[in-house]
Amino acid sequence: MNFDVNDWLGDWISFEHLIDSRDPNLERAWKDSTEAMRSKPLFAIMMLGDARRFWSKACRTSGRERRDRIGGWHIDRLPAAGDDDGVAGFRLTWLDEGRKPIATHEYRLDHMHDKGLEGKPCYVFHAIDAVISDPFAVLVAMDPMPERSALGHGGLLSHLHFQYASDESKLIKGKGRQATLRHRMWYPTMCAAEGTLLDQCNIVRALHRLQAWKELPIPPSDRPWMGNGRRPHRTPITGNVL
């Protein structure tokens, strides 16, 4: 892994927005994903017959230290770092579901965790300005995948898995190369916010090894009208897919 802050900068939305959405195209993406997973015994057992339900539990952003859900992130470069690539980290603002700031911290890369989410190496960041018991003091996160720039070149929407807590011991047990995650099936997930509805549908499909759509199967004119007389938003920026 090679930390590149450019892959982290900008706005992110919680994957929970895609899970909860009732947009017919996302509904279709989830339905196709469930059907695809039912043909694979191991996945069928893990997902209890429903891909959406599985990810709803695995990707919840609330936890023991924070009961309210997290709606997204906004990430900037570290003010003190400037253009100095020698300082690995960023300034992260945690957002609620209404996109209002919850907390802002400056995170520094403390070390790598060899057996992190999905058994892969993960970064362990510490907030240098967090107080005791702050639920966002420690952040464990994978590299964004694919890199943030991939979408602009015809690739998939960038996304990443993470965990957070007030203390590293609440996330990781053990020391050194033998250390493991305490909650291996907890997968809060963020997606790059610049994606369109089609990009969001294709992330759902990619997670279940389905081919990406080239266009939405249900065009805007065929989507149901909303109660206020407006059509659903086609390209959500905040992640509130209507």
Side-chain angles (χ1 to χ4, degrees), residues 7 14 25 31 38 49 55 59 116-117 119 182 197 199 207 220:
D7 283 339
S14 168
N25 284 290
K31 180 180 178 181
R38 283 176 178 166
W55 288 110
C59 292
L117 293 158
R182 291 188 179 277
L197 178 58
D199 299 321
L207 285 172

Side-chain angles (χ1 to χ4, degrees), residues 84-205:
D84 184 3
D85 293 333
V87 179
F90 42 68
R91 181 171 63 183
L92 189 157
T93 298
W94 299 78
L95 307 172
D96 66 16
E97 292 193 281
R99 304 295 292 177
K100 294 181 179 180
I102 302 168
T104 299
H105 290 306
E106 293 187 11
Y107 289 91
R108 300 290 197 278
L109 176 58
D110 187 79
H111 65 280
M112 298 294 299
H113 176 49
D114 291 339
K115 300 175 182 178
L117 293 158
E118 297 185 341
K120 300 175 183 177
C122 285
Y123 301 109
V124 180
F125 299 97
H126 286 194
I128 63 171
D129 52 356
V131 298
I132 296 175
S133 77
D134 188 318
F136 304 125
V138 179
L139 173 66
V140 175
M142 300 175 66
D143 252 330
M145 49 185 180
E147 63 276 8
R148 196 72 184 263
S149 61
L151 185 64
H153 300 90
L156 287 170
L157 187 67
S158 186
H159 61 288
L160 61 88
H161 303 310
F162 69 98
Q163 293 183 358
Y164 66 95
S166 61
D167 186 87
E168 188 176 318
S169 65
K170 294 181 182 296
L171 299 177
I172 301 171
K173 58 182 178 181
K175 297 291 184 180
R177 300 187 69 86
Q178 301 303 314
T180 58
L181 287 181
R182 291 188 179 277
H183 311 290
R184 290 180 292 176
M185 294 304 295
W186 183 35
Y187 281 79
T189 301
M190 288 290 167
C191 297
E194 62 265 25
T196 65
L197 178 58
L198 177 60
D199 299 321
Q200 293 178 350
C201 287
N202 281 334
I203 279 297
V204 172
R205 293 178 62 82

